Amino acid sequence: MNAEIIAVGTELLLGHTINTDAAYVARELSDIGVNLLFSSTVGDNPERLHAAVKQALSRSDLLVTTGGLGPTEDDLTKQTVAQAAGKKLVLHEEILKEIEAFFKNRPGACGENQKRQAWLPEGSTVLANVIGTAPGCAFETDAGKIVIMLPGPPSELIPMLHHEAVPYLMKREHASIVSKNVHVFGKGEGQVAEMIDDLVQGANPTAATYAKDGEMFVRVTARAETPEEAEQMCAPLVQEICSRIGDCVYGVDAESLEELVVKELSARGMTIATAESCTGGFLAKRLTDIPGASAVIGTGVVTYANAAKEKLIGVPHAVLETYGAVSSETARAMAEGVRRLAGSDLGVGITGIAGPDGGTAEKKVGLVYLALSDGKTVLVHKIPGANRNRTRDWIRYTAASRALDMVRRYLEGISLTEGSPEDGTGLFPVE
């Protein structure tokens, strides 16, 4: 099935609002094996929207529209799409009752503009809106094309897409589609693509690489009559991909590095503490974003200034004077200092130059030292200064991700002794 997305809204067209809806829809369509051919944005203009819908229905099997289903004058999607598809709008009494019930405690709020949300193209399947008043709908044109209309606010679109629109499509396809995501940190998309080049040629199951926030993942998708059969088809390919990529695979269908780290620490009954300079608490933030993190992290300190490093976590003044704040020695002292302060099993120290200023010929912007202490030894990893322009946010996010990966590898017993003492990296005894 070939699909097209049309996002409706002048605010999207002018860039006043970021069009996240199209990304959500595209990912869901990809997950169920639907080929997305086109994605476009049209302002609140009925003539242009009519033309876009006609073109979409002439070249795609499925059209998904987002936005323009509300009660205001510029919410013209239903009328325009219905007209372009050759459908009349009909009143759905049940929806009208639901809208009236929604406003029953707000006298005068349920005017004709609210009630017109109950008018949908004839033959529509109603897609329930559990958040707002504007229902979505799905219908088939006389030519056999499928049209799905979804509301614009992501809080309304996402549950409707997942719980209503996708099951509607799956039922029509008479097939089960299963996707497995192999998450990778430490190798880029291009490098992984070369490693599994021969594996991405298959038609069922398929494999494709995707970049994601400083890491990447490989999506394996299979189509079969039942979910169990699709799972069985995915399994050998997932296994082979994991085997080729090796220990840079941090999980299959894992949400994130931080989720994995929290889960693994919790399973072992271990705790962790963080001391951060250039990342400004970003590592602690990512850990505490995960439900249940309170069981594994109770202390996270931001020691941005040298004085804070000395006073709060006991970094020796001589270390800072001799080696500088951005050094292997300082990172080691931060990791062990915060571990002692918190009485935790593990301590992480991060210090570096996030830029855009502050770099020197010896210590470039992007240089970061990461340290992990377990009370016996301290592992130090160095991220060299960037050879190309990187944003402050990218450097900070990547540093936090590298730290999470260090912890992940430690917990999984993966060798962490590679490094060069001359470069300040490697495994050092706690002093």
Side-chain angles (χ1 to χ4, degrees):
M1 180 183 291
N2 294 325
E4 185 159 346
I5 300 170
I6 298 178
V8 183
T10 299
E11 72 282 3
L12 303 175
L13 190 64
L14 298 180
H16 295 158
T17 300
I18 297 175
N19 183 13
T20 57
D21 288 351
Y24 291 128
V25 174
R27 285 196 293 267
E28 287 286 346
L29 294 180
S30 175
D31 283 347
I32 63 172
V34 174
N35 300 315
L36 181 62
L37 300 186
F38 303 96
S39 181
S40 59
T41 303
V42 181
D44 299 311
N45 181 286
E47 289 77 19
R48 289 197 292 271
L49 178 56
H50 187 280
V53 171
K54 293 289 284 186
Q55 183 181 44
L57 294 177
S58 71
R59 62 189 180 185
S60 300
D61 307 306
L62 167 66
L63 168 62
V64 180
T65 69
T66 66
L69 302 185
T72 61
E73 289 298 325
D74 60 356
D75 289 320
L76 303 172
T77 300
K78 277 187 301 186
Q79 300 92 309
T80 306
V81 172
Q83 184 182 48
K87 296 286 185 179
K88 297 179 181 178
L89 291 179
V90 296
L91 178 65
H92 284 244
E93 295 288 349
E94 288 300 316
I95 296 176
L96 179 59
K97 291 178 182 178
E98 291 175 6
I99 293 173
E100 290 174 337
F102 185 88
F103 290 102
K104 68 178 181 180
N105 295 322
R106 296 164 60 185
C110 188
E112 291 304 315
N113 60 334
Q114 296 289 355
K115 293 179 181 180
R116 71 181 183 183
Q117 295 175 105
W119 290 80
L120 300 176
E122 57 185 339
S124 288
T125 296
V126 177
L127 306 181
N129 189 335
V130 296
I131 303 297
T133 58
C137 65
F139 66 90
E140 187 173 320
T141 70
D142 293 339
K145 306 298 181 73
I146 300 172
V147 178
I148 294 178
M149 289 188 276
L150 303 172
S155 62
E156 299 179 28
L157 177 141
I158 294 172
M160 185 184 296
L161 175 65
H162 185 70
H163 297 295
E164 300 281 336
V166 168
Y168 172 87
L169 289 172
M170 295 294 289
K171 186 176 180 180
R172 295 182 64 87
E173 286 286 279
H174 302 291
S176 294
I177 298 173
V178 170
S179 291
K180 311 295 289 184
N181 294 324
V182 180
H183 292 269
V184 180
F185 185 85
K187 292 186 185 297
E189 183 183 7
Q191 186 178 5
V192 170
E194 291 182 1
M195 297 172 71
I196 64 169
D197 180 62
D198 59 310
L199 303 180
V200 300
Q201 309 301 324
N204 190 26
T206 61
T209 60
Y210 298 89
K212 176 193 173 186
D213 296 334
E215 57 183 81
M216 61 85 57
F217 65 97
V218 184
R219 174 169 291 159
V220 175
T221 303
R223 177 191 294 260
E225 290 188 4
T226 67
E228 293 75 18
E229 289 176 316
E231 286 269 2
Q232 291 173 2
M233 292 171 66
C234 286
L237 185 54
V238 169
Q239 184 177 4
E240 178 61 22
I241 290 170
C242 290
S243 175
R244 294 193 188 186
I245 299 173
D247 58 28
C248 285
V249 173
Y250 70 79
V252 177
D253 291 336
E255 286 296 321
S256 63
L257 277 165
E258 51 265 38
E259 181 185 63
L260 179 67
V261 167
V262 169
K263 178 181 177 181
E264 293 297 322
L265 285 168
S266 180
R268 291 165 173 78
M270 296 177 66
T271 57
I272 192 171
T274 61
E276 304 178 62
S277 185
C278 64
T279 47
F282 197 43
L283 172 59
K285 185 264 183 192
R286 287 176 63 177
L287 287 169
T288 55
D289 278 346
I290 306 303
S294 59
V296 302
I297 178 170
T299 301
V301 297
V302 177
T303 54
Y304 210 65
N306 284 357
K309 293 178 176 68
E310 293 184 50
K311 181 177 181 180
L312 297 179
I313 54 176
V315 176
H317 181 78
V319 168
L320 293 166
E321 282 291 311
T322 304
Y323 303 104
V326 181
S327 64
S328 168
E329 291 77 8
T330 295
R332 287 159 55 187
M334 290 172 66
E336 178 55 16
V338 78
R339 191 201 66 78
R340 286 197 305 265
L341 172 69
S344 59
D345 297 298
L346 301 176
V348 176
I350 305 177
T351 182
I353 306 170
D357 302 317
T360 66
E362 293 76 24
K363 296 182 178 182
K364 298 179 181 179
V365 169
L367 171 65
V368 179
Y369 286 97
L370 312 167
L372 173 64
S373 173
D374 64 2
K376 299 176 182 178
T377 57
V378 185
L379 173 73
V380 180
H381 176 71
K382 176 183 177 181
I383 304 176
N387 292 323
R388 51 182 173 168
N389 290 333
R390 291 293 194 182
T391 67
R392 183 178 178 85
D393 286 345
W394 187 92
I395 291 169
R396 286 153 54 97
Y397 187 88
T398 301
S401 294
R402 290 283 186 95
L404 288 166
D405 194 54
M406 284 178 68
V407 178
R408 189 268 302 186
R409 288 171 175 269
Y410 174 89
L411 294 172
E412 294 180 354
I414 300 170
S415 175
L416 296 168
T417 57
E418 293 183 7
S420 168
E422 295 78 16
D423 195 31
T425 60
L427 202 58
F428 301 87
V430 170
E431 298 176 354

